[in-house]
Each structure stands twice: as structure tokens, then as C-alpha cells.
Amino acid sequence: MDRDDGECDVVAVGTWSFSLKGVECAMHSMCSGMSAVDAVVRGIETVELDESVTSVGFGGLPNRNGFLQLDAAIMDGSTRNSGAVIALENFKSAISLAFLVMTHNRHSVLTSHGASSFAASLITSYPNLIPHIPHDKISSLIESLSKYTNACDTSLYKTVSIPSYVVLHAVIDHADSVGEYALNRFREYLERRDQPRLDEGPSDTVGILCRDKNGRISAGCATSGMQFKDVGRVGDSPMIGHGLYADGEIGAAAASGDGDQLIRFCVSFCVVEMIRNGVTAQRACEQIVERVWKHNRSIQLAVIALESKAGNIGAYASRQGFKYTYGRIPCQALHTDTTANPHVHIQEAKLTEHHIDTFKPPKWSHTCV
């Protein structure tokens, strides 16, 4: 319960059970005093660097040419500022660069080689962004990132300091961005790429929503996209209003599912607008799923939401089997116990009897994002 002096419960919620470590990281970050937007970056990056997660970041499956292309976006509900990168190559993680697009670039979205060039320009000015690269290899990295386009105009950078926790997980050799599991899956794909399409396995977006003790709210998401996708393909995930949205006065939402279909519905924006109109976060998630399924019952959709004022969360899906993670620390605990350990839960979204009776939804089949 929020306090009368304006301090709020610390809350975080994430899509899918694999977001557990990310939500834990986000909760710890906010409990230590970090803002919601910083917590989102740290939380999502934790998931991206986990090679066991095969639809996000380093563990993600490559495109049909064998190259890993990452998408990520972040939105600060307090300022409505946002940043996104699309089809990013030579990186194991994309959310930090999306954050830097938001804070240090005149544009809101950068794609592919433009995003890489922006990273190269940043590294030239701030070599501490890549502590994992030996100093004598930095020039090779910069050359690799900017080989297809000219460097960005650094005079346009916003005069904002870069938080010390922000690190760019760039690699010199393109092949180093693809994990061992992904390489094995790609070889299997090549062996049967001319056969009828089979279920290629999970391809789910990680979305994390956070509210810090000051009531600030933020949303972020990241994905490696549909497995073995066409080069340059992008779904709804990194699109503001689609894969994520945050309004500091109202709430935030994030979606996962069939991105090629969901991009037509502005899912996350609609959920936040429903909350604005007096609907609870839970009911807003239910209503957007019902709206999409009335149009096409084959579309897969999972959505989470977080209310800015009350801190209530919502989660729902078009099919059975969607599990989300969430954590909450009462604001009183932050004052009485400075070592408060946020416990993060995994819970399956329960479909309403009306949804089950009307649509008779099958289990979730992790094939699209």
C-alpha cells in the first residue's frame, strides 16, 4: 500500500517465466534507490545475457542467414521519452543501446547499421562502455561496427552523463554474438529449410514494467525476433505503442505474441488508454485480448500491465499456458528493513470462463514474436 507522503510500493512485472532473473534484478535495483527506467534496463539486460533464453539476446536464434539481429525498446513514463534499436547486429544485448538512443541521440529509433554506427561513435567518446574488450582491440571493434556507414555526428549528442552501470555488449566478430545452442539449431534448420515448416521452438519477447518508490513508471522489451526470420524483419516488440508503452500518470503495458499480426492493433497503447478510462490493469489485459480474438482467433497474444497510481498489475493471454513474473516490496519495508529481499513470483495467467467457453483457446505454441 502506498504512503500518504507520496512514496509508493516498488513493483515489477515481466512476461514469461524466463524473465524471473530480470525481474529480480529490477526489484533489487529499485530497492537500492535506482529509478524505474534504470531498473528496466538492468532487468532486461540480465535476461538478454542469459544464453539459456533462446528468444532474447545472446541465446536468441539467428535469422535465415545465420546472423543474430536484436530488437529492443524502452520508454520512460515520466517524460514520455523513448528509444529503440532494430535489427542490431554484432551485439549480445540491445537494451542498453536503446536506452542510449533515448538519452543521447536526436532520433528515437535507429536501425541495423545506423544503430551500430551510433554505438561506434559512443565507444569512441566513452571507451568505458565496453570494459570487456581489451584496449588494443577497441579500434577493431569500432571499425567493425561502422564499416557500412559513416559515424554519427557526435555534436548532436545530448549533454547527459551515462550511468556507470550501462555497458555495450558488442563483439568484434559477428559469429561471437550467436550462442552455441543457437548455432546447433541453425544447422538443423539448414538441413530441412526446404521441407514444410515445423514448429521451430520458442520465440517470445521479454517485457518488463517497473514502478519505483517515487511512483515513476517505465517499460522495456527485447527480442531476437522470429526464429530464422527473413533478414531485417521486425515485429511489434520494439515499436512504441505496440510492444510496449508507458504513461507516468496512468500506467504501462507490454505485449508478446505474433508480432506480424499484433502490429495492427497497438496493443500496449490501447491497454494504457483503457486504464486511463477507469478500467483495472487486469480487465484492460482481458479486453485487449478479446478485441484481438474477435478479429482473428488464430492470433497469439500475451500482455502484462501495471497501474501507475495503485500499483496493481494485470496479465492475460489468448491461449492457456502464459506465465509471468512479478515482485512487490511495500514502501514501509524500504524504511524499516534496508536489506529487504524482494521475492519474485511466477504465476500463470488464468483465462476467464467466458473466454474459455467463447473461444475454446488451445495451449500456447511458442512460434512467433
Side-chain angles (χ1 to χ4, degrees):
M1 182 178 294
D2 298 343
R3 289 168 32 132
D4 294 335
D5 60 8
E7 289 199 348
C8 304
D9 293 355
V10 169
V11 185
V13 57
T15 56
W16 304 107
S17 57
F18 62 69
S19 69
L20 178 67
K21 293 180 180 178
V23 171
E24 287 176 340
C25 177
M27 288 294 293
H28 281 291
S29 297
M30 290 188 289
C31 287
S32 66
M34 283 190 170
S35 68
V37 69
D38 292 329
V40 166
V41 174
R42 296 194 69 190
I44 290 179
E45 187 174 73
T46 297
V47 180
E48 286 190 294
L49 295 178
D50 184 349
E51 191 176 354
S52 68
V53 180
T54 59
S55 60
V56 173
F58 181 48
L61 298 178
N63 62 25
R64 62 180 301 161
N65 284 358
F67 298 119
L68 183 67
Q69 291 185 315
L70 303 179
D71 307 323
I74 187 165
M75 186 169 187
D76 184 344
S78 300
T79 62
R80 310 298 196 281
N81 290 337
S82 65
V85 291
I86 295 173
L88 180 67
E89 299 182 3
N90 282 75
F91 279 79
K92 295 182 177 181
S93 168
I95 190 63
S96 288
L97 190 57
F99 170 78
L100 291 171
V101 169
M102 179 177 72
T103 59
H104 285 74
N105 197 279
R106 60 176 177 154
H107 305 299
S108 297
V109 182
L110 292 177
T111 66
S112 190
H113 304 312
S116 298
S117 177
F118 171 59
S121 299
L122 283 173
I123 292 169
T124 300
S125 301
Y126 307 96
N128 59 315
L129 284 171
I130 48 168
H132 58 290
I133 300 291
H135 185 74
D136 60 345
K137 299 291 185 181
I138 290 180
S139 60
S140 296
L141 174 64
I142 293 173
E143 180 181 356
S144 176
L145 293 177
S146 58
K147 62 184 177 182
Y148 294 109
T149 184
N150 295 327
C152 296
D153 184 354
T154 57
S155 67
L156 297 174
Y157 288 174
K158 300 173 184 177
T159 55
V160 179
S161 61
I162 297 178
S164 59
Y165 73 85
V166 175
V167 174
L168 295 179
H169 295 273
V171 295
I172 299 174
D173 187 340
H174 204 311
D176 291 338
S177 65
V178 182
E180 181 177 356
Y181 171 82
L183 283 175
N184 290 333
R185 287 295 307 279
F186 181 66
R187 294 188 187 102
E188 294 173 2
Y189 165 76
L190 290 178
E191 291 174 357
R192 55 183 175 83
R193 65 188 306 172
D194 296 328
Q195 300 176 14
R197 178 174 174 176
L198 303 174
D199 182 350
E200 299 291 359
S203 263
D204 302 314
T205 299
V206 60
I208 293 181
L209 314 175
C210 290
R211 186 184 77 159
D212 60 32
K213 67 178 183 180
N214 295 315
R216 295 171 298 192
I217 200 165
S218 184
C221 70
T223 182
S224 55
M226 180 185 291
Q227 58 280 341
F228 316 127
K229 61 192 176 184
D230 288 351
V231 176
R233 177 268 184 187
V234 60
D236 66 321
S237 295
M239 304 293 189
I240 301 301
H242 296 268
L244 72 162
Y245 193 75
D247 183 323
E249 298 178 354
I250 307 301
S256 177
D258 187 345
D260 292 305
Q261 299 291 331
L262 293 178
I263 202 167
R264 297 178 290 167
F265 293 94
C266 299
V267 169
S268 295
F269 177 78
C270 287
V271 168
V272 173
E273 288 303 294
M274 290 175 184
I275 297 174
R276 185 191 304 277
N277 292 327
V279 175
T280 65
Q282 179 59 37
R283 186 61 189 135
C285 292
E286 295 170 4
Q287 286 185 352
I288 193 62
V289 170
E290 291 169 2
R291 178 184 299 183
V292 171
W293 260 46
K294 284 180 180 178
H295 173 75
N296 186 338
R297 295 189 183 187
S298 68
I299 296 177
Q300 296 191 117
L301 164 63
V303 60
I304 56 173
L306 172 61
E307 298 173 23
S308 292
K309 296 180 180 178
N312 297 324
I313 64 174
Y316 205 65
S318 60
R319 301 188 177 192
Q320 302 178 64
F322 170 55
K323 294 182 179 181
Y324 63 98
T325 62
Y326 70 95
R328 179 187 298 270
I329 287 287
C331 54
Q332 293 89 342
L334 296 175
H335 289 272
T336 59
D337 183 6
T338 57
T339 62
N341 184 29
H343 181 65
V344 177
H345 308 267
I346 298 177
Q347 186 164 318
E348 182 171 336
K350 301 299 182 182
L351 304 189
T352 64
E353 292 183 6
H354 170 75
H355 185 88
I356 294 174
D357 293 340
T358 304
F359 300 114
K360 297 178 174 56
K363 289 284 187 179
W364 191 277
S365 60
H366 310 265
T367 57
C368 302
V369 63

